[in-house]
Amino acid sequence: MSKFDDRLDTILDAATELMARYGFYGTSLERISDKTGMSKQNLLYYVKNKKNLLTLIITERYDETPEFVEFIRRHTPGTVDYEGPAPLPAYYRLLARVNEKRPVFVQLFSMLNAETLEPSHPAHDYFVKRENKTLEWACQAAWQVPDGVDIRATMRVCDATMDGIQVQWLHNPQISLTSLWADCEERLFPSPVWDGYR
């Protein structure tokens, strides 16, 4: 990794932590500069501006999570290492396991999700389009689901449920995210309909 990449990683780490706590508007470049020990001018050399910094955090850190990308790729027909269809509940269990290990990112997503309700927020359009974009990406994969199940509708409900329990978990981290999801899974994928598809 180059010195540029190392510095950029340092900036993104600091900005992620600060924006997760204070939001986009509550996080100034000066605050990031103080946390990284870099001058504001040096900071801008790496990220150009605050809006671009936010874009880097969302697209390169949150939405390009390697575990999720790899899972979808392995179950997408036509890829080199295609393994066949995947049970849908397995994907959401993976999501819960990965996000449980990165609470700062979950907090950042939850903070931005609320902030971007305001149309003037720089990430407003991205978050408006994100749900459909994420669904399109996930629906490339081949999924094992019971006959008659609408995969898109099911994933929308699962995504909304995951967003909700992640906020509950942030409020009460003594209860694991995976445990909270397991309780939801019993209701989202009930027996006997989903038996053999988990």
Side-chain angles (χ1 to χ4, degrees), residues 29-41:
L29 289 174
E30 287 78 12
R31 194 170 233 166
I32 298 169
S33 178
D34 289 343
K35 189 166 182 65
T36 60
M38 299 168 64
S39 68
K40 183 178 175 181
Q41 183 177 0

Side-chain angles (χ1 to χ4, degrees), residues 4 8 11-12 16 46-64 105:
F4 182 94
L8 183 58
I11 294 166
L12 293 179
T16 297
Y46 290 97
V47 299
K48 296 185 177 67
N49 54 57
K50 188 177 166 185
K51 183 178 179 180
N52 188 59
L53 172 59
L54 178 62
T55 300
L56 288 171
I57 291 170
I58 294 172
T59 58
E60 296 191 15
R61 286 295 184 87
Y62 192 88
D63 279 346
E64 289 298 317
F105 280 95

